[in-house]
Amino acid sequence: MKQQTTLLLLTLCAIGISGCSSTAKQTSISADKARQLAQQHIIIDTHIDVPYRLHKDWEDVSVATKRGEFDYPRARQGGLNAPFMSIYIPASYERTGGGYQLANQLIDSMEALVGRAPGKFAMAHSTADVMSQFGSGKISLALGMENGTPIEGKLENLQHFYDRGIRYITLSHSESNHIADSSYDLRRRWHGLSPFGKELVVAMNNIGMMIDISHVSDQAFYQTVEISKVPVIASHSSLRSYTPGFERNMDDAMIKALAKNGGVVQINFGSSFVTQMANQYGALRKAAAKQAGVADDEAFELQFRKQNPYPFATLDTVLDHIDHVVKLVGIDYVGIGSDYDGVGDSLPIGLKDVASYPNLIEGLLKRGYNEADIEKILSGNLLRVWREVEAYAAKQKA
């Protein structure tokens, strides 16, 4: 619809009909420029939940799909070159076991995708892989493990998953595990990192695996950046200043500490991560169910949504988060961690799937970001961190 409107305005301009304006011309230029930049530069999104999506509800993402936010045609349209596919392990596996098995199965599924469509996908185990595959028409699939449960307290498992291509580990998820306390878990068993978690941070530095502090408690975050000899990442987190009290996001002091460490916060697109209204929506629904004396089940959720439409965020809201990081610590410490296929139907207006990155770029252009700055946000900052992690590990091995 947006492209159709732009084309109509350009037609009016071309034939001299009133209604054409300089604003329309500028809009067209910025949209065209955004699409051009999306194709010219590497786009790294550090958190896309395709593996677990396909594990639960398989589709062939090498062609257009009816469900989900990722497939090859849409990724190519949006300019996405190097998504980190999330090897997501639900927190319950810490209690039940089986996380090691599931992680290997999910990695297998990404390797199988490459095997089925070798002209469209390739695995990416290093920054060199990403760079060499750029421009080939292939999407480089990097891997990040969301939840360190599959490590099972064994450093040999860290080596195993490194050998299988995992290049970051989110230390914990929605519950505390044997590595670190979770931001969502009121039980702060370790008051940050466990003794093994502290050992694991050092081992991850030495092996060349990025450390992801999304999901961990504040104490675990500060202990991690104190121990780590290399920059860390927040693979899919947004800012607490827009969602007060939501520990899953990062506050300004944490962002400053992350920048001092040299790390990068990859902004999560989910509406509940970027606006207070959406963040509190679930709590309001639960309170309404309790007041009505009914179960907060799927039927009630549907009824509640009809009466209280979900307050979707917008593209501008996400841009506000990027602006905030840049104003606080500079352009070198922010990137993209959309959480596509991981936040349900809560994605913002204008950023609904992997075809939407040009919309983000257009918004950045309109806010005055130059091409060099935009390139840093799209991939440059994350590549810098990844290279530093690789270089440190190479020195340790030497």
Side-chain angles (χ1 to χ4, degrees):
M1 181 63 71
K2 183 177 179 181
Q3 290 181 354
Q4 291 174 347
T5 302
T6 301
L7 287 171
L8 175 61
L9 288 169
L10 286 175
T11 302
L12 292 174
C13 291
I15 63 177
I17 301 295
S18 62
C20 170
S21 67
S22 60
T23 301
K25 291 180 181 178
Q26 291 169 358
T27 299
S28 171
I29 291 169
S30 62
D32 290 344
K33 181 66 172 178
R35 287 190 292 271
Q36 179 184 354
L37 292 179
Q39 300 300 325
Q40 285 181 347
H41 292 287
I42 295 173
I43 297 179
I44 295 179
D45 188 322
T46 46
H47 201 87
I48 295 184
D49 277 291
V50 167
Y52 197 74
R53 164 194 160 194
L54 301 185
H55 179 71
K56 301 293 287 186
D57 184 19
W58 189 86
E59 291 182 291
D60 182 2
V61 295
S62 70
V63 296
T65 59
K66 295 180 179 179
R67 300 183 294 279
E69 286 100 49
F70 175 95
D71 57 42
Y72 181 81
R74 283 182 285 175
R76 289 283 290 160
Q77 180 184 346
L80 178 62
N81 319 106
F84 271 79
M85 293 297 177
S86 173
I87 304 304
Y88 164 59
I89 310 300
S92 60
Y93 280 75
E94 182 78 14
R95 302 187 303 273
T96 64
Y100 179 89
Q101 176 76 8
L102 177 58
N104 280 289
Q105 289 174 338
L106 296 180
I107 295 169
D108 285 347
S109 73
M110 293 297 97
E111 292 177 344
L113 176 60
V114 172
R116 288 196 309 274
K120 295 180 177 180
F121 298 101
M123 300 306 299
H125 296 163
S126 66
T127 56
D129 288 344
V130 172
M131 299 303 294
S132 66
Q133 288 158 191
F134 177 57
S136 67
K138 297 179 183 181
I139 295 175
S140 298
L141 302 181
L143 300 177
M145 181 184 289
E146 186 178 21
N147 188 0
T149 282
I151 300 301
E152 296 180 341
K154 304 171 184 176
L155 292 182
E156 57 264 36
N157 285 351
L158 175 67
Q159 181 68 56
H160 168 78
F161 286 116
Y162 180 86
D163 292 342
R164 294 224 59 192
I166 297 294
R167 288 302 177 265
Y168 77 69
I169 294 177
T170 316
L171 299 181
S172 65
H173 193 251
S174 57
E175 297 176 10
S176 301
N177 60 16
H178 69 284
I179 297 168
D181 290 332
S182 165
S183 61
Y184 288 118
D185 198 334
L186 296 178
R187 301 162 296 175
R188 300 301 163 96
R189 176 183 178 188
W190 305 114
H191 303 289
L193 297 174
S194 71
F196 176 75
K198 294 174 181 178
E199 184 181 0
L200 183 67
V201 167
V202 174
M204 289 175 70
N205 282 178
N206 290 339
I207 204 172
M209 193 179 292
M210 290 181 284
I211 300 165
D212 177 21
I213 52 77
S214 289
H215 280 288
V216 304
S217 69
D218 287 7
Q219 283 181 293
F221 163 77
Y222 282 110
Q223 289 171 18
T224 300
V225 295
E226 182 179 357
I227 295 170
S228 181
K229 301 298 184 183
V230 294
V232 305
I233 67 170
S235 71
H236 58 307
S237 294
S238 299
L239 311 186
R240 207 177 299 175
S241 58
Y242 294 89
T243 56
F246 186 45
E247 190 176 346
R248 171 66 178 79
N249 277 346
M250 301 183 71
D251 66 21
D252 285 3
M254 296 170 76
I255 295 166
K256 290 178 180 178
L258 186 73
K260 185 177 179 181
N261 162 265
V264 58
V265 53
Q266 305 283 103
I267 299 299
N268 190 315
F269 292 175
S271 292
S272 64
F273 286 82
V274 295
T275 70
Q276 186 173 12
M277 288 182 63
N279 186 260
Q280 296 176 345
Y281 187 81
L284 292 173
R285 189 194 67 241
K286 290 177 182 178
K290 184 177 181 180
Q291 186 175 6
V294 298
D296 182 24
D297 55 16
E298 186 176 349
F300 180 79
E301 182 178 357
L302 289 172
Q303 178 186 349
F304 185 80
R305 279 214 175 197
K306 287 181 181 179
Q307 298 171 348
N308 306 275
Y310 186 81
F312 287 101
T314 65
L315 167 63
D316 278 324
T317 319
V318 175
L319 292 169
D320 288 344
H321 283 249
I322 294 174
D323 278 350
H324 187 89
V325 177
V326 173
K327 291 173 183 175
L328 187 67
V329 294
I331 191 65
D332 297 318
Y333 309 103
V334 65
I336 300 169
S338 65
D339 216 346
Y340 281 135
D341 281 328
V343 288
D345 63 349
S346 74
L347 289 160
I349 297 165
L351 290 172
K352 291 297 186 182
D353 62 20
V354 293
S356 303
Y357 299 105
N359 295 345
L360 184 76
I361 296 169
E362 182 181 357
L364 291 169
L365 287 169
K366 288 180 177 178
R367 292 194 178 202
Y369 288 85
N370 61 38
E371 185 172 347
D373 290 341
I374 291 171
E375 188 275 334
K376 287 185 175 184
I377 294 168
L378 296 180
S379 62
N381 293 334
L382 191 282
L383 284 170
R384 170 185 57 78
V385 171
W386 194 354
R387 287 188 181 111
E388 288 186 42
V389 171
E390 290 175 330
Y392 181 86
K395 288 181 180 179
Q396 304 314 300
K397 292 172 185 175

